[in-house]
């Protein structure tokens, strides 16, 4: 569960109120698009959710943690409850696809036997089982992002946060990436996807939170294939 209560973020350096009185509740198992123009506050919101930033005012709860009160010693465990998917993939170039996914399980001390079963399972889920031995440079952008999704899901996190996951790939393949995230969402994982691609959001529909100048301009559900004036 994600909850922001009367959240404000003020950046002293720039004198900008990046978020103003933001209230959001995202229940477990939801799929939410976060949209908004550049400078609207999307990155700031994500930084709050990953505990990279604390709000100037208000409270942030994620996966049962009150982030304002999160002890340093609990930060690694909290971070492991979130899977991240990045616009620039962030794969390790000299590791194979299998190793890239296995790596996140190794650093969390998962048993070898579990890793040997889990990695093929998640690679199969993103339809890349046959590319396990390839290196990232041998894959297309879309395939790299599928590895990114497999890696984020490998640790079975409560939430996956995808930050512009389709930003660096062929627009035709963007739909496939969202479909994979929806498949993962069907397994029970909450998915929060930041995007500026309105076409994509309108194609899939569902819950959309639109930020404008640090405030929530729209938070609601739009139909599949639909268009909503509030979203523009
Ligand atoms: P978005 O991700 O929607 O483009 P951001 O959250 O990055 O929006 O930025 C929101 C506002 O906060 C912008 O006006 C931006 O200039 C400002 N801002 C973002 N990060 C910082 C920072 N580290 N220091 C000062 N101002 C910042």
């Amino acid at each position: 569960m994600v909850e922001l209560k009367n959240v404000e973020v003020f950046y002293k350096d720039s004198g900008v109120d990046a978020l103003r009185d933001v209230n959001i509740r995202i229940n477990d198992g939801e799929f939410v698009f976060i949209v908004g123009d550049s400078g609207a506050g999307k990155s700031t919101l994500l930084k709050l959710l990953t505990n990279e930033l604390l709000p100037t005012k208000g409270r942030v709860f994620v996966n049962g943690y009150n982030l304002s009160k999160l002890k340093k010693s609990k930060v690694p465990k909290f971070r492991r409850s979130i899977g991240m998917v990045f616009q620039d993939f962030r794969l390790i170039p000299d590791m194979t696809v299998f190793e890239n996914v296995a790596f996140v399980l190794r650093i969390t001390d998962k048993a070898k036997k579990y890793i040997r079963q889990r990695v093929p399972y998640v690679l199969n889920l993103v339809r890349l089982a046959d590319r396990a031995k390839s290196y990232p440079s041998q894959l297309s952008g879309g395939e790299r992002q599928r590895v990114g999704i497999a890696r984020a899901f490998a640790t079975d996190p409560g939430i996956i946060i995808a930050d512009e996951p389709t930003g660096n790939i062929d627009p035709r393949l963007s739909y496939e990436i969202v479909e994979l995230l929806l498949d993962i969402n069907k397994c029970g994982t909450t998915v929060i996807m930041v995007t500026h691609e309105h076409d994509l959001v309108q194609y899939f529909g569902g819950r959309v939170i639109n930020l404008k100048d640090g405030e929530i301009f729209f938070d609601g559900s739009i139909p599949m294939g639909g268009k909503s004036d509030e979203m523009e």
Side-chain angles (χ1 to χ4, degrees):
M1 201 257 287
V2 168
E3 196 164 19
L4 278 80
K5 283 188 175 172
N6 308 108
V7 163
E8 181 185 314
V9 172
F10 176 70
Y11 289 113
K12 269 192 201 145
D13 308 356
S14 56
V16 171
D17 252 333
L19 293 176
R20 277 175 292 168
D21 199 26
V22 168
N23 287 284
I24 296 175
R25 186 189 164 98
I26 299 173
N27 291 318
D28 289 342
E30 281 197 77
F31 188 108
V32 183
F33 286 113
I34 295 180
V35 300
D37 294 337
S38 179
K42 305 183 297 297
S43 307
T44 300
L45 175 60
L46 290 194
K47 282 184 190 148
L48 289 175
L49 300 185
T50 55
N51 193 235
E52 284 168 71
L53 187 71
L54 287 175
T56 316
K57 278 188 195 155
R59 284 180 291 169
V60 181
F61 300 88
V62 179
N63 285 343
Y65 295 86
N66 177 349
L67 298 192
S68 304
K69 292 190 175 159
L70 189 63
K71 291 205 180 90
K72 259 201 178 142
S73 59
K74 296 239 167 96
V75 171
K77 190 165 180 236
F78 163 71
R79 290 253 164 87
R80 284 201 292 276
S81 73
I82 298 178
M84 291 295 299
V85 178
F86 304 98
Q87 179 173 4
D88 56 359
F89 322 124
R90 302 201 193 170
L91 303 179
I92 301 169
D94 57 359
M95 283 188 185
T96 63
V97 165
F98 186 100
E99 288 300 323
N100 263 282
V101 178
F103 182 66
V104 294
L105 295 169
R106 288 208 183 98
I107 57 176
T108 54
D109 289 332
K110 292 284 184 298
K112 278 186 184 157
K113 192 176 165 206
Y114 176 78
I115 296 174
R116 275 200 301 272
Q117 289 168 351
R118 182 74 179 164
V119 178
Y121 171 76
V122 292
L123 287 179
N124 198 36
L125 203 72
V126 299
R127 295 187 286 280
L128 276 179
D130 55 339
R131 305 303 302 271
K133 289 183 179 154
S134 300
Y135 287 87
S137 61
Q138 297 170 313
L139 304 177
S140 70
E143 288 169 336
R144 282 181 214 181
Q145 195 55 297
R146 277 151 59 190
V147 181
I149 291 171
R151 178 185 55 189
F153 187 56
T155 54
D156 200 14
I159 299 179
I160 286 190
I161 295 178
D163 188 4
E164 299 270 9
T166 61
N168 269 332
I169 59 177
D170 187 326
R172 284 179 304 122
L173 298 176
S174 298
Y175 292 84
E176 194 177 284
I177 293 298
V178 181
E179 267 155 15
L180 284 178
L181 289 170
L182 282 164
D183 288 346
I184 281 173
N185 175 245
K186 284 195 197 102
C187 299
T189 307
T190 308
V191 176
I192 300 173
M193 172 172 159
V194 171
T195 181
H196 61 265
E197 293 181 57
H198 283 269
D199 290 354
L200 208 59
V201 174
Q202 281 162 1
Y203 178 85
F204 287 100
R207 184 169 173 194
V208 182
I209 297 175
N210 186 357
L211 288 172
K212 230 175 213 176
D213 296 329
E215 289 181 17
I216 294 180
F217 179 69
F218 174 77
D219 179 359
S221 201
I222 66 163
M224 207 175 186
K227 228 180 159 96
S228 165
D229 293 342
E230 293 96 331
M231 254 195 60
E232 295 300 325

